[in-house]
Amino acid sequence: MRKSVKAALFGMIALGLVFTGTSTAGAASTPSPRIVGGDTASISDYPAIVAVNQANGGNWCGGTLLAANKVLTAAHCVDGKTPGFFSVNGGSANRTGGPNSSTVKSIWMAPNYNGSTFENDYAVLTLNTNFSGPVATLETNPAVYAAGTNATVLGWGTTASGSSNYQSKLRKVDVPITSDSACASAYPQGSSKGTYYNDSMVCAGFAQGGKDSCQADSGGPLVINGRLVGVVSWGYGCAGKNAYGVYTRVTSYVDSINAQLAK
Ligand code: ARG
């Protein structure tokens, strides 16, 4: 499908879909700040997080283990890819090296995913090898999206917008849920920064910026009280003023996701 110039620009700049092909890129580069504005995380902070890596070892996306062989990630992480592109790693704050690792058997992408607007940005991977360890609980109650509720996002992504400082050790940052009205004014209909759709998305972050998820955190978890409430989806740059992180609104998709787990 042909994309408009605007959509293509939005895709490249706002979403940062240009990933490195190198392995453990940025592992030895400048530290501060992390994820953006965050800190190191332990796997015990959120044991269901997995690294959705490239088969060649390079950073790509995050994901969340929902069953021994099922991983929730973002549709934009898998769009146009075949299973052989991926290698999934779990049970460790290290992005590669186990204790759980698997190739991907099959990819299911939300059929209503819109690659121009990023509505319905979720997908489920089926692994070839079962992972041990705890699986995530999906939040079902949309009341968790009350503005100001503290949430945590985790990942191995870059530490600044446009940087290639991908991480090999897990990072996390706390970000409050943003009201629908604040997110809609940051990303109004027709905005070149992208558009917020409150049925499929939820925002988190600070009006003044400084803390956010960033490139290669996509597909990873946004968590409240240990439950999965969001999937890292997009943003205009990372951690900028009035440019919140936008997450797939998990409570909207619980039935659709559970249907995939039953397969
Ligand atoms: N689309 C990015 C990815 O593919 C994630 C961007 C998140 N951006 C943000 N400002 N929170 O990794």
Side-chain angles (χ1 to χ4, degrees):
M1 195 168 62
R2 248 186 95 96
K3 285 188 180 179
S4 70
V5 171
K6 193 184 112 190
L9 206 68
F10 173 54
M12 288 182 65
I13 295 173
L15 302 163
L17 293 174
V18 188
F19 294 88
T20 92
T22 59
S23 71
T24 60
S29 326
T30 336
S32 76
R34 310 301 191 157
I35 196 175
V36 178
D39 218 332
T40 50
S42 152
I43 192 66
S44 59
D45 288 336
Y46 195 65
I49 190 170
V50 301
V52 178
N53 295 317
Q54 301 180 56
N56 70 11
N59 290 70
W60 188 254
C61 278
T64 302
L65 194 69
L66 297 183
N69 67 339
K70 301 283 181 182
V71 167
L72 180 70
T73 188
H76 81 262
C77 290
V78 305
D79 196 11
K81 301 288 181 253
T82 56
F85 179 83
F86 298 102
S87 171
V88 181
N89 190 84
S92 175
N94 294 324
R95 191 178 62 77
T96 57
N100 295 317
S101 72
S102 180
T103 52
V104 169
K105 184 178 183 188
S106 60
I107 299 170
W108 176 89
M109 195 169 86
N112 53 353
Y113 168 61
N114 184 325
S116 301
T117 63
F118 291 81
E119 291 168 278
N120 314 309
D121 190 9
Y122 66 107
V124 174
L125 307 177
T126 300
L127 305 176
N128 276 313
T129 307
N130 283 355
F131 280 17
S132 59
V135 299
T137 303
L138 300 177
E139 179 58 65
T140 57
N141 183 359
V144 292
Y145 301 124
T149 304
N150 190 56
T152 303
V153 59
L154 305 97
W156 291 268
T158 60
T159 55
S161 193
S163 122
S164 57
N165 194 13
Y166 299 96
Q167 300 294 301
S168 55
K169 299 278 188 192
L170 186 63
R171 313 285 311 187
K172 64 175 176 180
V173 69
D174 288 347
V175 278
I177 298 291
T178 309
S179 71
D180 280 335
S181 58
C183 196
S185 29
Y187 299 120
Q189 280 288 338
S191 166
S192 60
K193 296 180 176 180
T195 298
Y196 175 64
Y197 294 90
N198 67 10
D199 51 347
S200 59
M201 304 171 184
V202 62
C203 283
F206 295 91
Q208 72 271 23
K211 297 183 177 191
D212 199 0
S213 46
C214 205
Q215 272 65 57
D217 289 323
S218 276
L222 179 74
V223 179
I224 296 175
N225 290 331
R227 286 201 283 269
L228 188 71
V229 305
V231 174
V232 179
S233 181
W234 63 276
Y236 182 72
C238 307
K241 275 191 177 180
N242 289 307
Y244 305 101
V246 187
Y247 298 83
T248 310
R249 196 175 188 98
V250 163
T251 62
S252 297
Y253 303 112
V254 171
D255 292 347
S256 164
I257 294 167
N258 282 335
Q260 292 309 310
L261 305 187
K263 289 186 177 170

